[in-house]
Amino acid sequence: MPNTPPGGLGHVPVAVYACATGTSAVCAAELRARHYADARHWHVAGAWTDDDPAAALDTRPGWSAITSALSTGLIRGIVVAGASHVAADAAHFAALGVLIRDRGGFFLTEAAPGPRHRTPGQHERRRALLDAAVGWSPRDHFAPGIAP
C-alpha cells in the first residue's frame, strides 16, 4: 500500500466513484468528486462509474473495481459526489464507511456546499453592530484638547 515516506510529503491515492443515470449526471458527479480530491492535493488514481443506481452496490462493476483497488493497496480512499451514489440512506452510508475503514481505507462524500451555519439572532447582532459603528470615530472618544 502506498504510504507517505517518512519525514517527507507524499500523495494520497484516491478513487473517484459516481453512479447515476445519464452520462451528463455521471460526468458532473465525477467532476465534483475530482475537484474535492484536487483541493486536498490527493492523487486521483482512477475514476470508476456505474449507470444503474437501483442495482445493489456489490453487483456494480465499477464499485467492485474500486474495492479491489482498495484491497490491493492501489488506493487509500474513495471519494463520491454524494451519498446517494452508494447508499439509500445515511445509516447505510455510515455502515459502508465503517466497512471501508476496516479495510484500511477512508470513504467520504463531497457534499454540495450548503448555506453557511448561522446562529439564532446572528443577523440582528451584526446589524446592531454595524448601526452602532456608523459615524463612529476614534477621535470622538478623546477629551477635548487631547490629541491621540
Side-chain angles (χ1 to χ4, degrees):
M1 177 176 261
N3 287 323
T4 302
L9 296 174
H11 67 278
V12 177
V14 297
V16 169
Y17 179 74
C19 182
T21 55
T23 306
S24 62
V26 169
C27 290
E30 180 184 334
L31 185 62
R32 283 181 38 212
R34 281 182 179 276
H35 282 301
Y36 187 85
D38 289 341
R40 283 144 187 82
H41 303 287
W42 294 340
H43 170 70
V44 177
W48 287 271
T49 61
D50 288 311
D51 59 0
D52 187 10
L57 192 60
D58 56 349
T59 63
R60 299 179 190 172
W63 184 256
S64 297
I66 282 186
T67 56
S68 174
L70 182 65
S71 297
T72 60
L74 180 63
I75 60 170
R76 294 187 59 197
I78 302 168
V79 180
V80 295
S84 62
H85 291 265
V86 292
D89 57 17
H92 183 240
F93 185 80
L96 194 55
V98 169
L99 178 67
I100 291 170
R101 276 192 301 278
D102 288 346
R103 291 185 177 182
F106 64 91
F107 179 57
L108 46 91
T109 179
E110 180 282 329
R116 290 185 284 168
H117 178 69
R118 302 261 189 224
T119 59
Q122 180 178 5
H123 180 71
E124 291 79 16
R125 285 191 301 276
R126 287 185 176 183
R127 174 57 60 193
L129 286 170
L130 180 63
D131 289 343
V134 171
W136 182 82
S137 169
R139 294 190 185 274
D140 295 341
H141 298 285
F142 291 104
I146 301 177

